[in-house]
Amino acid sequence: MIKLMKLEIAKMGLGWYVKAAIIANVAIVTLMFMIGYFEGVEVKNEIANIGELYIIAGAMVRSTFIVMAAVLISKLIIDEYKKKTILVMFMYPVSRKKLFASKLAIVAILTFVAIIISHIFTLSMLIGINHFFHIIEEAPVPLDYAAQLASIVSFAFAAAGASLVPLYFGMRKHSVPATILSSLLIVILTSSSNPVFSLATIIYIPLALAVFGVAIAWSTVRHIENRDVL
């Protein structure tokens, strides 16, 4: 399984994913700085404390990488079906189930790791920037780093599972747009946030979607031998 994952990654190449992740992180930090700084100049600042900074940064990071997971599913699976290159792959002397499971494992693991690293990076950068520009109205209080890390890992785990849900919509007609659009719906369900009510703080929604996503992945792998390739 690990060898298959290495072969898939070597075939796909991770350079584009790493570049996209770096650009996304820089864009998130820049956007949050601009929101915090300019709203603080003109009106009441939406990012009033370190807790809101953490919530908004986490929601933006998870949203970004859930959509990128859909791009990975499209690249690793949907495109293979559309271009019929999956036929060549299924001729390998390896179980179809293992081949397909390795692709899904790459999507879930990359999403999980990328969310954790990006969340820690963006939060660290924004806290550092706040020392110079004071985008947070309230005086920052020391964070409970262990609790924050546990929360980041929990939400990343749930988001990685939920990121598999677009597989169901993409596989129905081997459609890349359906895969991407369904990921946007997941983002709306899991990462919407405003000062009055925030779905981004409720972990039960992404956890429920994660269970659904894992069930979809398991069912797809289980029936892959009987699925029509053409």
Side-chain angles (χ1 to χ4, degrees), residues 120-150:
I120 293 172
F121 170 78
T122 54
L123 201 57
S124 301
M125 288 294 295
L126 289 167
I127 290 173
I129 290 172
N130 186 61
H131 284 295
F132 297 98
F133 294 95
H134 306 291
I135 59 177
I136 298 175
E137 283 188 346
E138 296 178 3
V141 296
L143 284 170
D144 182 344
Y145 290 106
Q148 294 296 334
L149 184 59

Side-chain angles (χ1 to χ4, degrees), residues 11 14 18 30 39-40 83 89 108 215 220:
K11 187 175 74 172
L14 275 182
V18 174
T30 304
E39 287 195 350
K83 296 175 182 175
M89 184 167 291
T220 306

Side-chain angles (χ1 to χ4, degrees), residues 32-219:
M32 287 200 64
F33 166 71
M34 291 177 69
I35 291 172
Y37 182 76
F38 289 108
E39 287 195 350
V41 170
E42 296 175 358
V43 294
K44 179 178 171 55
N45 198 339
E46 294 291 337
I47 306 174
N49 54 54
I50 193 71
E52 289 184 2
L53 182 75
Y54 165 77
I55 291 169
I56 297 172
M60 293 180 75
V61 167
R62 291 193 296 275
S63 301
T64 300
F65 286 97
I66 285 174
V67 175
M68 285 182 66
V71 175
L72 275 173
I73 290 173
S74 299
K75 195 175 183 66
L76 284 169
I77 298 171
I78 307 301
D79 274 350
E80 294 262 25
Y81 274 93
K82 288 185 70 176
K83 296 175 182 175
K84 306 290 190 294
T85 52
I86 198 79
L87 283 169
V88 178
M89 184 167 291
F90 284 164
M91 292 173 68
Y92 295 167
V94 181
S95 164
R96 285 188 183 189
K97 291 181 179 178
K98 284 186 177 180
L99 282 170
F100 210 84
S102 67
K103 290 174 179 285
L104 296 178
I106 289 170
V107 175
I109 292 171
L110 272 182
T111 303
F112 177 74
V113 173
I115 288 176
I116 290 177
I117 293 174
S118 297
H119 199 159
I120 293 172
F121 170 78
T122 54
L123 201 57
S124 301
M125 288 294 295
L126 289 167
I127 290 173
I129 290 172
N130 186 61
H131 284 295
F132 297 98
F133 294 95
H134 306 291
I135 59 177
I136 298 175
E137 283 188 346
E138 296 178 3
V141 296
L143 284 170
D144 182 344
Y145 290 106
Q148 294 296 334
L149 184 59
S151 176
I152 289 171
V153 172
S154 300
F155 273 97
F157 179 79
S163 70
L164 297 175
V165 173
L167 176 70
Y168 172 79
F169 299 95
M171 287 295 283
R172 288 177 65 85
K173 293 186 178 180
H174 301 155
S175 168
V176 171
T179 310
I180 305 296
L181 285 174
S182 57
S183 72
L184 295 176
L185 291 176
I186 293 170
V187 167
I188 293 171
L189 283 174
T190 59
S191 302
S192 299
S193 180
N194 61 64
V196 179
F197 181 72
S198 176
L199 292 175
T201 60
I202 303 173
I203 195 169
Y204 300 107
I205 298 173
L207 275 179
L209 287 170
V211 172
F212 189 42
V214 171
I216 289 170
W218 177 79
S219 176

